[in-house]
Amino acid sequence: LKAYRKVNGKWQSEVIDKLKVNGFRGLAVGDIYNKKKQVVLAGNNSKEEEEGGSLYAYEYENNAWKKTTVYYDQEDHQIKAIKTGDIYGDGKQRILLATGNSNAKIIILTWNGKTFDEEKVGQVSSLFDLPGNDFFSMTALLGKTGKNPTVIIAGQVSKINS
């Protein structure tokens, strides 16, 4: 994960983080702590059984990047899609997260002042009549249709188990 800054007319890069697992999968920016400060969110793409899926928040403070684990899932090893937005129209930014593998969860994370509350929306696997399969790419969008919050998810099957 790198940051690029233009300093004195030239682009300079800085490594923010390197993972021991396969790398980063999803990337988003948002005011997830509702402090009027943007935070970088990055999800990992782990294929190792002992490594779960993690969503990390990176805040730039005092000329350094501070890393915090926002979400961890031992079952789903890949964080596929990350979006931020005010889905309920109450002025609070939330994180919409879609994981991968056979569970393929869709979750909304809301900062309560100390930790993130999890609200399960559904499963990406419900898009397909293929239980027990792996799902590769998901995109997640937050929106509002009338008075009702709306979450839009798209997926792709990566491996069909017979």
Short mmCIF file of all heavy atoms in Angstrom, two decimals, residues 90-114:
data_model
loop_
_atom_site.label_atom_id
_atom_site.label_comp_id
_atom_site.label_asym_id
_atom_site.label_seq_id
_atom_site.Cartn_x
_atom_site.Cartn_y
_atom_site.Cartn_z
N ASP A 90 -28.45 9.87 8.38
CA ASP A 90 -28.36 10.47 9.71
C ASP A 90 -27.06 11.24 9.92
O ASP A 90 -26.73 11.63 11.03
CB ASP A 90 -28.52 9.40 10.79
CG ASP A 90 -27.46 8.31 10.71
OD1 ASP A 90 -26.57 8.39 9.84
OD2 ASP A 90 -27.53 7.37 11.52
N GLY A 91 -26.30 11.43 8.84
CA GLY A 91 -25.05 12.17 8.93
C GLY A 91 -23.85 11.33 9.35
O GLY A 91 -22.73 11.82 9.39
N LYS A 92 -24.05 10.05 9.63
CA LYS A 92 -22.95 9.16 10.04
C LYS A 92 -22.46 8.34 8.86
O LYS A 92 -23.25 7.70 8.16
CB LYS A 92 -23.41 8.19 11.13
CG LYS A 92 -23.67 8.82 12.46
CD LYS A 92 -24.04 7.74 13.47
CE LYS A 92 -24.29 8.34 14.83
NZ LYS A 92 -24.64 7.30 15.82
N GLN A 93 -21.16 8.36 8.66
CA GLN A 93 -20.55 7.51 7.65
C GLN A 93 -20.48 6.08 8.18
O GLN A 93 -20.16 5.86 9.34
CB GLN A 93 -19.14 7.99 7.34
CG GLN A 93 -19.08 9.30 6.60
CD GLN A 93 -19.37 9.13 5.13
OE1 GLN A 93 -18.72 8.36 4.45
NE2 GLN A 93 -20.37 9.85 4.64
N ARG A 94 -20.79 5.14 7.32
CA ARG A 94 -20.69 3.73 7.66
C ARG A 94 -19.84 3.03 6.61
O ARG A 94 -19.64 3.54 5.52
CB ARG A 94 -22.07 3.11 7.72
CG ARG A 94 -22.85 3.58 8.94
CD ARG A 94 -24.29 3.09 8.92
NE ARG A 94 -24.97 3.37 10.16
CZ ARG A 94 -25.47 4.55 10.50
NH1 ARG A 94 -25.35 5.58 9.70
NH2 ARG A 94 -26.09 4.70 11.67
N ILE A 95 -19.37 1.84 6.98
CA ILE A 95 -18.58 1.03 6.05
C ILE A 95 -19.47 -0.10 5.57
O ILE A 95 -20.06 -0.82 6.38
CB ILE A 95 -17.34 0.43 6.76
CG1 ILE A 95 -16.47 1.53 7.35
CG2 ILE A 95 -16.55 -0.44 5.78
CD1 ILE A 95 -15.41 1.01 8.32
N LEU A 96 -19.56 -0.27 4.27
CA LEU A 96 -20.22 -1.44 3.68
C LEU A 96 -19.11 -2.36 3.23
O LEU A 96 -18.20 -1.97 2.50
CB LEU A 96 -21.10 -1.06 2.51
CG LEU A 96 -21.78 -2.22 1.80
CD1 LEU A 96 -22.73 -2.96 2.73
CD2 LEU A 96 -22.50 -1.75 0.56
N LEU A 97 -19.17 -3.59 3.70
CA LEU A 97 -18.11 -4.55 3.48
C LEU A 97 -18.68 -5.83 2.89
O LEU A 97 -19.71 -6.31 3.36
CB LEU A 97 -17.46 -4.84 4.84
CG LEU A 97 -16.32 -5.80 4.93
CD1 LEU A 97 -15.11 -5.25 4.21
CD2 LEU A 97 -15.98 -6.04 6.38
N ALA A 98 -18.04 -6.36 1.85
CA ALA A 98 -18.42 -7.66 1.30
C ALA A 98 -17.18 -8.55 1.36
O ALA A 98 -16.10 -8.17 0.91
CB ALA A 98 -18.91 -7.52 -0.13
N THR A 99 -17.34 -9.73 1.96
CA THR A 99 -16.23 -10.69 2.05
C THR A 99 -16.35 -11.69 0.91
O THR A 99 -17.28 -11.63 0.10
CB THR A 99 -16.23 -11.42 3.40
OG1 THR A 99 -17.39 -12.25 3.49
CG2 THR A 99 -16.20 -10.44 4.56
N GLY A 100 -15.44 -12.63 0.86
CA GLY A 100 -15.46 -13.63 -0.20
C GLY A 100 -15.54 -15.04 0.34
O GLY A 100 -15.94 -15.25 1.47
N ASN A 101 -15.15 -15.99 -0.47
CA ASN A 101 -15.21 -17.41 -0.15
C ASN A 101 -16.65 -17.85 0.03
O ASN A 101 -17.57 -17.17 -0.37
CB ASN A 101 -14.32 -17.75 1.05
CG ASN A 101 -12.85 -17.53 0.73
OD1 ASN A 101 -12.48 -17.39 -0.43
ND2 ASN A 101 -12.02 -17.50 1.73
N SER A 102 -16.85 -18.98 0.65
CA SER A 102 -18.18 -19.58 0.63
C SER A 102 -19.22 -18.82 1.45
O SER A 102 -20.40 -18.89 1.17
CB SER A 102 -18.11 -21.03 1.11
OG SER A 102 -17.52 -21.08 2.38
N ASN A 103 -18.83 -18.07 2.48
CA ASN A 103 -19.81 -17.33 3.26
C ASN A 103 -20.21 -16.03 2.57
O ASN A 103 -21.37 -15.65 2.59
CB ASN A 103 -19.29 -17.04 4.66
CG ASN A 103 -19.19 -18.30 5.48
OD1 ASN A 103 -20.10 -19.12 5.47
ND2 ASN A 103 -18.09 -18.48 6.18
N ALA A 104 -19.26 -15.35 1.99
CA ALA A 104 -19.49 -14.13 1.22
C ALA A 104 -20.50 -13.21 1.89
O ALA A 104 -21.57 -12.94 1.38
CB ALA A 104 -19.91 -14.48 -0.20
N LYS A 105 -20.13 -12.70 3.04
CA LYS A 105 -21.01 -11.86 3.85
C LYS A 105 -21.09 -10.43 3.34
O LYS A 105 -20.12 -9.90 2.80
CB LYS A 105 -20.51 -11.84 5.29
CG LYS A 105 -20.42 -13.19 5.93
CD LYS A 105 -19.67 -13.08 7.26
CE LYS A 105 -19.35 -14.46 7.78
NZ LYS A 105 -18.36 -14.41 8.85
N ILE A 106 -22.21 -9.81 3.57
CA ILE A 106 -22.41 -8.39 3.32
C ILE A 106 -22.71 -7.77 4.69
O ILE A 106 -23.67 -8.16 5.34
CB ILE A 106 -23.56 -8.11 2.35
CG1 ILE A 106 -23.35 -8.87 1.04
CG2 ILE A 106 -23.71 -6.62 2.10
CD1 ILE A 106 -24.59 -8.97 0.19
N ILE A 107 -21.87 -6.83 5.13
CA ILE A 107 -21.95 -6.29 6.48
C ILE A 107 -21.86 -4.77 6.44
O ILE A 107 -21.10 -4.21 5.64
CB ILE A 107 -20.79 -6.84 7.34
CG1 ILE A 107 -20.86 -8.36 7.41
CG2 ILE A 107 -20.77 -6.23 8.73
CD1 ILE A 107 -19.60 -9.00 7.93
N ILE A 108 -22.59 -4.10 7.33
CA ILE A 108 -22.44 -2.67 7.54
C ILE A 108 -21.78 -2.49 8.90
O ILE A 108 -22.22 -3.06 9.89
CB ILE A 108 -23.79 -1.94 7.49
CG1 ILE A 108 -24.39 -2.04 6.09
CG2 ILE A 108 -23.62 -0.47 7.91
CD1 ILE A 108 -25.79 -1.47 5.98
N LEU A 109 -20.70 -1.70 8.94
CA LEU A 109 -20.00 -1.41 10.18
C LEU A 109 -20.24 0.05 10.56
O LEU A 109 -20.06 0.95 9.73
CB LEU A 109 -18.49 -1.65 10.01
CG LEU A 109 -18.07 -3.05 9.61
CD1 LEU A 109 -16.57 -3.09 9.30
CD2 LEU A 109 -18.41 -4.05 10.71
N THR A 110 -20.66 0.27 11.81
CA THR A 110 -20.95 1.62 12.29
C THR A 110 -20.13 1.90 13.55
O THR A 110 -20.17 1.12 14.51
CB THR A 110 -22.45 1.76 12.64
OG1 THR A 110 -23.23 1.43 11.49
CG2 THR A 110 -22.79 3.18 13.08
N TRP A 111 -19.42 3.03 13.56
CA TRP A 111 -18.62 3.42 14.71
C TRP A 111 -19.55 3.89 15.82
O TRP A 111 -20.40 4.76 15.62
CB TRP A 111 -17.64 4.53 14.31
CG TRP A 111 -16.76 5.00 15.42
CD1 TRP A 111 -16.79 6.22 16.01
CD2 TRP A 111 -15.71 4.28 16.06
NE1 TRP A 111 -15.82 6.30 16.97
CE2 TRP A 111 -15.13 5.12 17.04
CE3 TRP A 111 -15.19 2.99 15.91
CZ2 TRP A 111 -14.08 4.71 17.85
CZ3 TRP A 111 -14.15 2.59 16.71
CH2 TRP A 111 -13.59 3.45 17.66
N ASN A 112 -19.40 3.32 17.02
CA ASN A 112 -20.26 3.71 18.15
C ASN A 112 -19.52 4.58 19.16
O ASN A 112 -20.02 4.84 20.25
CB ASN A 112 -20.84 2.47 18.84
CG ASN A 112 -19.77 1.61 19.51
OD1 ASN A 112 -18.68 2.06 19.84
ND2 ASN A 112 -20.10 0.35 19.73
N GLY A 113 -18.34 5.04 18.82
CA GLY A 113 -17.53 5.86 19.71
C GLY A 113 -16.39 5.09 20.35
O GLY A 113 -15.42 5.68 20.81
N LYS A 114 -16.50 3.76 20.37
CA LYS A 114 -15.44 2.91 20.95
C LYS A 114 -15.03 1.78 20.02
O LYS A 114 -13.86 1.46 19.90
CB LYS A 114 -15.91 2.31 22.27
CG LYS A 114 -16.12 3.35 23.35
CD LYS A 114 -16.52 2.71 24.65
CE LYS A 114 -16.74 3.79 25.70
NZ LYS A 114 -17.13 3.28 26.99
#
